[in-house]
Amino acid sequence: MGTVSAVAFALDGSTALQFAVIKKPHDYARIYFADEVNKALLVQTWNDPHINKAISVSDKYIIYESGQNARDLHNALKTMGYKEALQAFRQVIEGVIAYQSKGYFHGDIKEPNVIIFDTPNGPKVQLIDNSPISGKDLKQGKISSWISTPGYSDNVIGLKIINDPNVDYHAIDSFSLGVIAKNIGKKFGANYGTKSILDISDLMQNPDISGKEDFLPSLLLKIDNLIAHSPDTAQKAA
């Protein structure tokens, strides 16, 4: 909880601009900000290209990496072609897989929490608002709630994870990914052959299927196949 500001700066002796986002705590929320600082330090150690990390962390601020023309997925989808959308979605999945490989889940995956910015090697897609939640703690019933967005989460899944030995925390973020996949499918319509992405969405939102450790990695090949056979990036949704 805090104020967020985007900044551009140049290092000494350089004219090249660099970009960052600075987050400072509200006075009434410093206790919560302390937890965010600890989690920002944890994410720093992961060093994953699809998870936005802090450049600098203190008890007074957190500075996150950013890029020129940074935009979130919600706004980016307005101008993306179908292939571009699928390519971005694939990188979102990779970010969630990175979370899961560490034993955590994000808990609030949605288009506004996915940032896309330009790099010399092309667009980079990263998860933001990263406050990792322990999958083990959820499974053991030590936590039962977290901040999430209505429509992108399902409280019943949390209870199923606690009570069903065959369903694990992987189902939490997979459900949210399923919402994004469905939004992509609805945006582009049947003329873009989106039934496959909608079928994938259904799988993602079924905890009996998505609550497995190998579920998301097994989907990457299917996503790659969709990308290979999707319309050219120059085509836009109506």
Side-chain angles (χ1 to χ4, degrees):
M1 296 182 179
T3 59
V4 178
S5 304
V7 297
F9 60 94
L11 297 176
D12 291 342
S14 173
T15 59
L17 286 177
Q18 298 190 36
F19 302 86
V21 171
I22 299 177
K23 188 170 187 178
K24 297 181 180 180
H26 295 304
D27 288 339
Y28 65 84
R30 289 190 178 276
I31 186 171
Y32 302 107
F33 192 74
D35 181 62
E36 188 169 347
V37 164
N38 290 333
K39 290 183 174 180
L41 291 170
L42 171 63
V43 171
Q44 268 188 330
T45 67
W46 295 355
N47 198 32
D48 187 273
H50 300 297
I51 299 177
N52 189 260
K53 66 179 180 181
I55 300 171
S56 180
V57 182
S58 80
D59 60 352
K60 297 181 176 60
Y61 61 80
I62 305 174
I63 302 177
Y64 292 100
E65 63 178 340
S66 187
Q68 189 173 16
N69 301 320
R71 59 209 187 277
D72 64 35
L73 184 59
H74 174 75
N75 288 307
L77 282 173
K78 296 175 182 178
T79 57
M80 278 182 169
Y82 184 48
K83 180 173 287 188
E84 292 172 295
L86 291 176
Q87 289 169 334
F89 185 57
R90 189 192 194 283
Q91 292 189 57
V92 179
I93 295 174
E94 289 183 89
V96 173
I97 290 174
Y99 255 88
Q100 295 179 352
S101 71
K102 304 293 184 182
Y104 293 87
F105 64 97
H106 184 287
D108 197 20
I109 300 291
K110 56 185 178 181
E111 289 91 345
N113 279 344
V114 176
I115 192 171
I116 303 173
F117 52 87
D118 298 327
T119 75
N121 297 319
K124 180 194 289 187
V125 179
Q126 292 186 330
L127 301 179
I128 62 172
D129 199 17
N130 293 297
S131 294
I133 305 165
S134 168
K136 182 179 180 180
D137 285 351
L138 174 62
K139 188 66 178 176
Q140 294 178 348
K142 295 179 180 179
I143 56 173
S144 58
S145 63
W146 54 89
I147 297 174
S148 60
T149 300
Y152 287 83
S153 60
D154 185 344
N155 293 334
V156 174
I157 291 179
L159 295 175
K160 189 174 182 66
I161 290 169
I162 294 172
N163 296 314
D164 189 336
N166 296 313
V167 178
D168 214 335
Y169 68 93
H170 305 82
I172 298 292
D173 287 342
S174 290
F175 181 92
S176 304
L177 288 171
V179 177
I180 296 177
K182 188 168 294 184
N183 290 342
I184 291 173
K186 288 180 177 179
K187 170 181 166 56
F188 289 94
N191 290 337
Y192 283 78
T194 58
K195 186 179 185 303
S196 293
I197 192 67
L198 294 175
D199 290 343
I200 287 174
S201 170
D202 290 340
L203 294 176
M204 288 176 160
Q205 295 188 296
N206 183 339
D208 292 320
I209 297 173
S210 65
K212 313 291 184 184
E213 183 177 357
D214 62 348
F215 170 69
L216 287 181
S218 72
L219 281 185
L220 291 180
L221 188 59
K222 292 182 180 180
I223 297 293
D224 288 340
N225 187 58
L226 287 182
I227 292 170
H229 295 90
S230 65
D232 188 80
T233 55
Q235 295 178 274
K236 309 294 180 184

